[in-house]
Amino acid sequence: MSRLQSWAIFAILALLPTIAWAQNEGQAKLDEAAELKLDAKTPDQLAQVIELCEQAIEQGLDDGNKQLANQILAATALQRVQMMVQQLPRVASNPGAVRKLRNQAVTDLDKALTANPDLVEALVLKTKLEALPGGSRESAMKSITRAIELLKDKPVDQSGAYILRAGLQENTDERLKDLQKAIEVDSTNSDAWQARLAVLLANGKLEEAVIDAEKLLEKDPENMFALEAAVQSLFQLKKFDEAIKLLSTRVEKDPKSGPIYRARARAYILREDNEKALADLNKSIELDAKDAEALILRSQLYYDMGDIDKANRDVSDALQIQPDAVQGVLMRSLVASREGRYADAIGDMEMLVRFDPSQVPWVMQLASLYQADKRPRLAIRLLDELLKQKPDEWRGVRLRGDAKLSINDHAGAIDDYDKALALVEKDPAKDDADYSGLLNNLAWVLSTTTKDEMRNGKRALELGLKACEATEYKEAHILSTLAAAYAETGDFENARKWSEKAVELGSEDENEQLEQLKKELESYKVNQAWREEQKTEENAKPLKNPNEAIET
């Protein structure tokens, strides 16, 4: 060994105490942090521990102590965040406080993850916090993806992480892929199955939903969510027999489950098997006399069968049990309307529309009730508000046209009927009855209005023929319209022919307009076209709850 080498070794050995001291300059801070950690119970005390660990690392520690400091720091930061998260429900009503708390928690989690990048609990918690309003979806995705990687040997936990990431996905296919992964790594995870079912249902993937629901029912026969998902999907697919078969299997396993009988009753109703539906509803109510949902459903069934007294009894019983049942209030309104108690029916529908003015069918039902109760101007005002928001709602436009016609506003009625016709012809899901009714009403006013400049016999005839074709020439009032159109064109021979047919059909079905149909025929026999001027006298009787206009 040379003299130079000897001196070099001597110099290194001489410096060792200094180097060791420099590496552990932060030891005192670390010892203080460790001691404080033993008794720390509040967020402020935990914050002190974190700060002491950070100072110890900054001042200098050897590898072993630095590792210990990082372990204490990560565990303490996570503990502090867990405490803060517990405070979130307390400040949930204050968005500013939630944001402040979340930001502080994320800052502490970042410290924990800097100290220990593989701390799965911190990654998962950060994901949940970043998923809150104002958080970073990108950061959340990065955190949960890393957690999924680290959990490869823990399938139960990894499955939960996949569910969490699925909730962050913006693309339906990606969301479904994550939920499928959650199921693959842990096929017993009912939450994953149910989340995937919910996504499939929400996106109209009904066939897949049925398959998944049946698989889940094989694993968990008592899972009501899966059963309801399968039945709901089968209903929408119009596979009523399959739904009945599935529910019948459940009835055999649990013959004392009222909700299963009730669900099967719905399937029977959709299959138009009222007798079996009624038997199942009777059984459901026998098992639970306070099953308001079954009572309302049976009320609807009785209503459709024309037994209004029983419908009224059932809906009254249901609303005594559950006064705020929306379907019950709706049913009570329908029953009152059928009995001619329009004020009662209007009171219930006004209540429903105020409860949820976005329900277009309710708004139009209320407008129809105003019209039936001879309050067409209220109907027009209500529909004006609806159509400001939904101008393409053709049924609302048509209904407003009917109301305008009843107050002798023929120009307004024709304009609304034309608008509705242009809209309905673009609607692939239009109902033939609604379509024929619109054609008929427009043809009628174009044939019979007393305003000479508004009549148009040629167009009325075209519309009337379409309406008759749509109803197979089997509706008395539509044949009456066709006759009026022929009369307006001067073809009284055909006017008499179709008017006689209208009277014949009207007599067979005891049509309430039979007397008018006969008067129209007498007019055509003397070659005189029919003219009609409707002037509904507004019902001045106050409603139970005076109403200027319902805001929609």
Side-chain angles (χ1 to χ4, degrees):
M1 181 182 296
S2 68
R3 181 174 297 185
L4 180 60
Q5 288 174 319
S6 298
W7 276 106
I9 291 171
F10 175 79
I12 291 171
L13 290 172
L15 285 171
L16 282 176
T18 303
I19 294 171
W21 178 83
Q23 286 180 329
N24 286 292
E25 186 176 355
Q27 186 66 50
K29 294 290 185 183
L30 178 57
D31 291 343
E32 187 179 351
E35 184 176 350
L36 181 57
K37 178 71 169 70
L38 293 174
D39 298 319
K41 291 183 174 60
T42 68
D44 288 343
Q45 290 172 334
L46 293 171
Q48 291 177 37
V49 174
I50 294 169
E51 185 177 357
L52 287 168
C53 288
E54 289 174 331
Q55 291 173 356
I57 293 169
E58 185 179 351
Q59 290 176 7
L61 294 169
D62 60 32
D63 289 343
N65 281 320
K66 184 176 181 181
Q67 184 178 359
L68 176 61
N70 278 322
Q71 289 175 348
I72 295 174
L73 193 159
T76 305
L78 178 61
Q79 183 182 353
R80 186 167 187 264
V81 171
Q82 290 169 336
M83 284 185 177
M84 286 190 280
V85 167
Q86 292 175 359
Q87 297 177 37
L88 279 173
R90 183 173 56 81
V91 298
S93 60
N94 185 338
V98 170
R99 187 165 50 251
K100 181 179 179 181
L101 195 60
R102 180 185 59 77
N103 290 343
Q104 180 58 61
V106 169
T107 298
D108 278 0
L109 286 173
D110 284 338
K111 291 180 178 181
L113 290 167
T114 298
N116 182 1
D118 295 342
L119 188 58
V120 172
E121 286 181 272
L123 289 166
V124 171
L125 195 49
K126 184 177 179 182
T127 301
K128 293 178 179 178
L129 289 169
E130 291 286 28
L132 293 174
S136 167
R137 176 182 169 276
E138 183 180 354
S139 175
M141 286 291 288
K142 184 178 179 181
S143 296
I144 198 60
T145 299
R146 176 60 181 156
I148 288 170
E149 293 170 359
L150 293 169
L151 289 167
K152 61 183 179 180
D153 295 325
K154 296 182 177 180
V156 173
D157 293 337
Q158 189 183 51
S159 180
Y162 272 119
I163 294 175
L164 195 53
R165 191 171 72 176
L168 296 168
Q169 298 285 10
E170 296 178 320
N171 179 280
T172 298
D173 289 338
E174 293 301 317
R175 187 175 298 123
L176 289 171
K177 283 180 184 177
D178 271 346
L179 292 171
Q180 184 59 38
K181 281 284 188 183
I183 292 168
E184 287 173 4
V185 297
D186 179 14
S187 63
T188 66
N189 190 338
S190 293
D191 289 341
W193 282 100
Q194 292 180 184
R196 181 174 160 84
L197 269 174
V199 174
L200 290 171
L201 287 172
N203 288 276
K205 297 178 181 288
L206 303 177
E207 298 280 4
E208 293 178 58
V210 172
I211 293 170
D212 271 18
E214 290 177 344
K215 287 180 180 178
L216 180 52
L217 285 170
E218 288 176 9
K219 296 177 179 296
D220 182 5
E222 304 305 315
N223 193 303
M224 286 301 296
F225 181 89
L227 180 64
E228 290 171 4
V231 171
Q232 180 183 338
S233 299
L234 290 169
F235 281 179
Q236 291 186 56
L237 291 167
K238 300 189 184 304
K239 295 183 177 182
F240 307 128
D241 288 342
E242 290 185 31
I244 290 168
K245 182 179 178 181
L246 178 62
L247 290 163
S248 295
T249 301
R250 289 303 300 264
V251 167
E252 290 172 6
K253 290 180 179 178
D254 187 3
K256 294 187 177 180
S257 175
I260 304 299
Y261 284 104
R262 187 198 323 130
R264 191 170 67 175
R266 290 186 187 279
Y268 280 130
I269 290 171
L270 292 169
R271 202 179 69 174
E272 299 182 355
D273 192 338
N274 290 346
E275 186 177 340
K276 289 183 178 178
L278 186 58
D280 271 357
L281 288 171
N282 289 341
K283 185 65 176 179
S284 179
I285 294 165
E286 177 189 322
L287 291 166
D288 181 4
K290 293 188 176 181
D291 186 345
E293 192 174 343
L295 284 165
I296 292 168
L297 191 56
R298 192 170 69 175
S299 173
Q300 292 171 343
L301 186 57
Y302 279 137
Y303 179 87
D304 291 338
M305 294 167 67
D307 196 334
I308 305 304
D309 287 341
K310 288 183 179 178
N312 199 3
R313 180 197 64 196
D314 274 354
V315 75
S316 297
D317 289 347
L319 288 171
Q320 284 182 0
I321 297 164
Q322 190 177 340
D324 60 349
V326 169
Q327 288 301 315
V329 175
L330 177 61
M331 195 67 237
R332 185 171 63 188
S333 176
L334 292 174
V335 169
S337 175
R338 179 72 68 88
E339 293 180 335
R341 295 184 287 109
Y342 295 120
D344 291 337
I346 286 170
D348 276 337
M349 286 310 304
E350 286 182 339
M351 179 168 60
L352 289 176
V353 170
R354 288 194 177 94
F355 171 72
D356 186 358
S358 69
Q359 289 284 348
V360 174
W362 294 356
V363 175
M364 290 200 291
Q365 174 67 9
L366 177 56
S368 296
L369 288 170
Y370 284 147
Q371 182 78 344
D373 198 36
K374 297 184 179 181
R375 303 176 192 272
R377 288 172 177 79
L378 272 182
I380 291 168
R381 289 162 61 185
L382 178 65
L383 292 166
D384 282 345
E385 291 301 314
L386 171 67
L387 294 170
K388 283 178 185 178
Q389 300 173 42
K390 296 184 179 293
D392 293 340
E393 183 54 61
W394 70 265
R395 290 179 179 83
V397 180
R398 178 257 171 98
L399 190 56
R400 187 175 64 180
D402 293 343
K404 288 179 178 178
L405 185 62
S406 70
I407 61 171
N408 206 32
D409 180 5
H410 289 191
I414 291 171
D415 185 51
D416 273 349
Y417 289 151
D418 276 328
K419 287 177 182 176
L421 194 58
L423 291 168
V424 73
E425 288 177 344
K426 298 176 184 177
D427 183 359
K430 64 179 179 290
D431 180 83
D432 285 343
D434 286 338
Y435 181 48
S436 62
L438 175 56
L439 291 168
N440 179 75
N441 287 11
L442 181 53
W444 178 258
V445 69
L446 289 174
S447 301
T448 65
T449 177
T450 57
K451 299 173 175 57
D452 295 343
E453 71 279 7
M454 293 182 190
R455 287 196 304 277
N456 186 334
K458 181 180 178 181
R459 185 166 182 232
L461 184 57
E462 292 172 356
L463 295 167
L465 286 168
K466 282 185 180 180
C468 286
E469 289 169 5
T471 54
E472 300 178 342
Y473 291 81
K474 293 180 180 179
E475 296 291 339
H477 70 288
I478 293 181
L479 294 181
S480 162
T481 297
L482 180 61
Y486 273 120
E488 177 57 25
T489 64
D491 186 350
F492 286 100
E493 182 179 350
N494 271 314
R496 288 188 288 272
K497 170 186 171 182
W498 292 110
S499 183
E500 287 172 354
K501 185 64 176 174
V503 170
E504 180 184 333
L505 287 175
S507 299
E508 290 174 2
D509 60 16
E510 299 181 355
N511 193 297
E512 61 182 16
Q513 295 179 327
L514 182 58
E515 289 305 312
Q516 177 172 319
L517 294 175
K518 290 179 178 179
K519 289 178 182 178
E520 291 168 17
L521 177 56
E522 292 303 315
S523 179
Y524 303 145
K525 285 180 178 179
V526 296
N527 292 345
Q528 184 173 342
W530 185 261
R531 296 288 178 262
E532 184 171 85
E533 187 176 62
Q534 295 186 34
K535 290 184 178 179
T536 298
E537 185 177 345
E538 195 83 17
N539 187 345
K541 186 177 179 180
L543 292 165
K544 289 184 178 180
N545 296 308
N547 176 56
E548 290 298 323
I550 299 291
E551 293 295 331
T552 60

